[in-house]
Amino acid sequence: MLEDIGGFGVTVNEGLEYKPAEYKSVVKKTIEQKSLTIEQDQAECDEKSDDYKELEALKQNTEQTLQEVEKVINRPEPEEMIDKIDSLNKELESKKSEEIRLKKESAKTIENLQNKVKSLEKEKKVTVIENKVQQYKNENESLKEYTSLHEETCDDHPFQQKIDTIADDVANERGGDVSHQSQTKVHKNKKDDETLEENTSMHEESDELQFQRKIDTMTDEIANEKDGNILHQSQTSSKYVEDDIQQYINGYPDQEDDPMRNENYNFFMDEIPSRPNGDCIDTIHNEWWGDYKRLEENKKYMQWLFPVRAKSCNREAQELFPHEIQKICNCKEAKDRLLLSYKLMLDFYGIKLENKKDGTVVRSDNWEERFENLNRSKHNHNRITRILKSLGELGFEHLKKNFIKFILVEILERKTLANLQESCCNYWIAILKDPSERAEMEVFYQQLTTNQSNSLT
């Protein structure tokens, strides 16, 4: 630090910055003049002399001082800095206000777009449903008949007239009136082949039960005349079902793998829950077992417990990809969980796995109650289809044949699961991957059918 600047009695670091601008300018000019004088004196001296060296040191000191003075001169005045800070603060506040305004406008725009998307999705969904219904009606004449059957006036329909006649007969036998509600009640899920049992036990039943059985019998007769089981018959005989069976047997050759998607494998490893309204697989095994109401009413967990390679109605469940099949089949932990899921559903149906090596199954202790539910609930027949297909994909094909054999015995010999006959014969046997097993089950079915016919003659 210099003690004095040009003889003015101030230094750069002590007081100069607080002097007026005119004073600073004079100081700068004085130092510049001093530097010029030193250069002139140097020009008259020998570069090797001591005087030249002293002048050179003085010149460097002067140049340093000049630089420091220029820094002080260029430094803003306090008033200028305050004004600049105020200006920057105002600019900042303005930008904040603009940002808030833009956020509000963006939020409003997003809300409007979301509402528009919801409206479009609703319109599209309605349109898709209407198109699907119309397409199905156009392709299936029997469905049209089924629809028109239920669109006719109940009072004028021959079916209603037959029911009314039966109702009057039963009412006369009881000496009383049968309520209109009882007259028109129709059970859609009646067990087949119970005629002999009805004849032997009718006298032990109440009048109400006799009446209901007559209604059920008449319902079946008219349903047969009108292709009563139209939906199921059309599905199992349609080209779609045939193609689906063929695709399954051939291993879905046209399916493209997506190695980035692993939701089925992650679920089997107990890392993610089933969706929607589900649980992780270990929780389902531990807490849902025996909770038949939950297993019956929740329709979305089956696509996770038993994944297949075709897309399902559960949009939150992923179809099974080939790389996942390989990973699950190579993982003992995952396969153990699949086997436990199979046992869980067998218990739900009133069945238990007796031998996991060959798939032999037997009735469980509560089979009567569970068979009754299985026999009347069509969606559980579809669930069994999914279970069998999934077992075949994931290394448990050997469990399927003896399950089907058990069901055929219950249908044809024991007559406990008559309503499963169509699904079993038209679909479950067909998705046995081994042709020899399919042939074996077809022969077994024919034997049971022959035995049944012989027993009736």
Side-chain angles (χ1 to χ4, degrees):
M1 178 183 70
L2 299 177
E3 294 182 357
D4 193 1
I5 299 178
F8 285 91
V10 295
T11 66
V12 174
N13 293 334
E14 295 181 359
L16 181 61
E17 60 181 322
Y18 301 109
K19 297 295 182 179
E22 294 83 1
Y23 183 85
K24 296 175 183 176
S25 178
V26 171
V27 171
K28 179 182 178 183
K29 289 180 180 180
T30 301
I31 296 174
E32 291 174 343
Q33 184 60 43
K34 182 177 179 180
S35 178
L36 182 60
T37 301
I38 292 172
E39 289 179 355
Q40 291 173 352
D41 291 343
Q42 276 185 312
E44 297 175 357
C45 296
D46 183 2
E47 293 182 358
K48 296 181 180 180
S49 64
D50 293 338
D51 290 341
Y52 185 88
K53 293 179 181 179
E54 288 180 2
L55 288 171
E56 180 65 25
L58 183 60
K59 179 184 176 182
Q60 292 178 358
N61 192 10
T62 302
E63 289 177 351
Q64 181 181 354
T65 302
L66 182 60
Q67 291 176 359
E68 294 177 353
V69 169
E70 288 177 344
K71 288 181 181 179
V72 173
I73 292 174
N74 294 330
R75 193 177 298 162
E77 296 292 335
E79 293 82 2
E80 293 178 0
M81 294 191 67
I82 292 173
D83 292 342
K84 191 170 184 179
I85 291 172
D86 289 342
S87 176
L88 290 173
N89 284 334
K90 289 179 181 178
E91 185 178 353
L92 181 62
E93 289 296 326
S94 175
K95 288 184 177 181
K96 285 184 178 179
S97 299
E98 180 68 11
E99 183 181 1
I100 292 172
R101 184 185 67 80
L102 290 174
K103 283 184 177 180
K104 289 182 178 179
E105 289 182 356
S106 298
K108 187 66 176 176
T109 302
I110 291 172
E111 182 181 357
N112 292 337
L113 288 173
Q114 288 175 338
N115 292 335
K116 188 173 182 180
V117 168
K118 289 179 180 179
S119 176
L120 290 173
E121 286 179 346
K122 185 176 181 180
E123 292 176 3
K124 182 179 179 181
K125 188 179 293 185
V126 171
T127 302
V128 169
I129 292 173
E130 290 176 346
N131 291 340
K132 287 291 184 183
V133 170
Q134 188 60 44
Q135 179 185 356
Y136 196 82
K137 286 184 177 181
N138 292 339
E139 292 178 353
N140 196 323
E141 287 299 321
S142 58
L143 180 61
K144 289 183 180 180
E145 295 178 10
Y146 179 79
T147 304
S148 63
L149 170 66
H150 290 276
E151 289 175 350
E152 292 180 20
T153 307
C154 289
D155 291 337
D156 297 331
H157 200 276
F159 174 47
Q160 185 62 45
Q161 295 173 3
K162 291 186 179 182
I163 292 179
D164 291 341
T165 301
I166 298 173
D168 292 338
D169 292 342
V170 175
N172 293 331
E173 292 173 3
R174 295 175 55 199
D177 295 330
V178 179
S179 67
H180 181 69
Q181 180 180 3
S182 298
Q183 293 173 20
T184 58
K185 182 178 181 181
V186 177
H187 286 181
K188 296 181 180 179
N189 297 297
K190 179 188 177 293
K191 298 179 182 179
D192 296 331
D193 301 318
E194 292 182 342
T195 307
L196 294 177
E197 293 179 13
E198 290 179 11
N199 291 337
T200 56
S201 61
M202 184 71 77
H203 67 280
E204 298 176 353
E205 298 172 338
S206 64
D207 291 339
E208 290 85 351
L209 186 55
Q210 292 181 39
F211 166 68
Q212 189 57 55
R213 285 189 176 278
K214 288 187 177 183
I215 293 293
D216 289 344
T217 302
M218 185 59 65
T219 301
D220 283 350
E221 291 176 359
I222 295 178
N224 289 333
E225 294 173 2
K226 289 291 186 177
D227 294 325
N229 208 6
I230 289 170
L231 290 178
H232 187 62
Q233 290 173 355
S234 63
Q235 290 172 355
T236 55
S237 61
S238 68
K239 186 176 185 301
Y240 169 80
V241 172
E242 294 174 1
D243 290 345
D244 180 65
I245 292 173
Q246 200 60 42
Q247 285 283 317
Y248 175 77
I249 295 299
N250 293 337
Y252 295 92
D254 298 329
Q255 184 189 23
E256 295 183 3
D257 198 6
D258 188 348
M260 301 302 295
R261 302 185 67 185
N262 290 283
E263 289 192 4
N264 290 304
Y265 178 74
N266 293 337
F267 174 74
F268 271 64
M269 298 308 294
D270 203 42
E271 295 175 0
I272 60 172
S274 61
R275 298 188 306 271
N277 306 322
D279 273 317
C280 290
I281 188 168
D282 284 351
T283 303
I284 293 175
H285 292 159
N286 294 330
E287 298 183 7
W288 293 32
W289 193 294
D291 189 348
Y292 300 142
K293 187 174 187 295
R294 180 190 288 188
L295 293 171
E296 178 69 36
E297 294 178 354
N298 189 319
K299 303 296 192 296
K300 301 299 184 181
Y301 66 94
M302 287 295 296
Q303 295 83 8
W304 292 85
L305 287 184
F306 302 98
V308 296
R309 294 171 70 172
K311 292 183 179 180
S312 71
C313 59
N314 183 356
R315 296 182 179 181
E316 297 190 47
Q318 174 199 292
E319 66 269 32
L320 184 64
F321 286 111
H323 74 277
E324 290 185 301
I325 294 175
Q326 185 176 0
K327 290 171 70 173
I328 292 173
C329 288
N330 291 334
C331 177
K332 182 179 183 302
E333 184 179 357
K335 290 189 69 176
D336 287 345
R337 288 192 171 105
L338 175 60
L339 184 61
L340 193 56
S341 296
Y342 180 51
K343 292 178 180 178
L344 167 75
M345 294 310 297
L346 287 179
D347 175 75
F348 174 66
Y349 296 135
I351 307 169
K352 62 182 178 181
L353 182 63
E354 187 175 60
N355 188 333
K356 67 180 182 180
K357 292 183 178 180
D358 64 5
T360 299
V361 295
V362 296
R363 290 174 171 179
S364 59
D365 293 338
N366 61 342
W367 67 271
E368 290 182 277
E369 171 197 348
R370 302 314 307 156
F371 275 23
E372 181 181 356
N373 179 73
L374 175 59
N375 196 46
R376 70 168 180 264
S377 57
K378 172 65 172 64
H379 75 97
N380 275 307
H381 308 171
N382 296 334
R383 284 178 169 183
I384 291 175
T385 300
R386 168 175 285 274
I387 291 170
L388 295 176
K389 292 174 76 172
S390 184
L391 291 175
E393 295 283 14
L394 297 174
F396 288 100
E397 176 71 22
H398 65 281
L399 299 180
K400 292 161 56 174
K401 185 187 75 171
N402 279 334
F403 172 84
I404 294 172
K405 192 172 185 179
F406 169 84
I407 294 296
L408 286 174
V409 170
E410 293 293 341
I411 293 170
L412 296 170
E413 279 192 1
R414 298 173 177 172
K415 307 185 188 310
T416 55
L417 296 173
N419 290 337
L420 276 64
Q421 182 167 346
E422 181 135 14
S423 293
C424 186
C425 296
N426 293 345
Y427 208 102
W428 300 343
I429 293 176
I431 58 175
L432 288 169
K433 291 187 175 183
D434 186 341
S436 64
E437 289 189 345
R438 290 200 299 272
E440 179 184 346
M441 286 300 96
E442 289 170 1
V443 170
F444 183 69
Y445 169 72
Q446 293 298 330
Q447 289 175 347
L448 291 177
T449 305
T450 302
N451 293 340
Q452 182 188 23
S453 300
N454 293 337
S455 66
L456 295 175
T457 57

